[in-house]
Amino acid sequence: MSLLPPPGPARRLALMALVVCVLSVAAAVVAFAEGSFVGVVWILLAGISSNMAWFYVRKAKVQRAGTAG
C-alpha cells in the first residue's frame, strides 16, 4: 500500500507541500547556522506545510475509501 494518494490534484498538492516543508527546513538550518533568528519563521512555515501535506494525503485516502466501498 502506497503512502501517496493516487494521481490527481490531492497528490500534486501533497507533494508540493512536502517540497515546501523540506526547503523551509533547509532554509531554517542555514539561517540558524548564520546566527539569524529568521529561522524561526522558516520553522513555522515547515510546520504549516507538513500539516497541509498530511491533510491532503488523508483527504485523498478518505475519498478513495468512499469510492471503493
Side-chain angles (χ1 to χ4, degrees), residues 22-34 36 38-43 46:
V22 169
L23 290 175
S24 61
V25 168
V29 168
V30 170
F32 284 131
E34 291 180 352
S36 173
V38 177
V40 173
V41 175
W42 290 113
I43 292 294

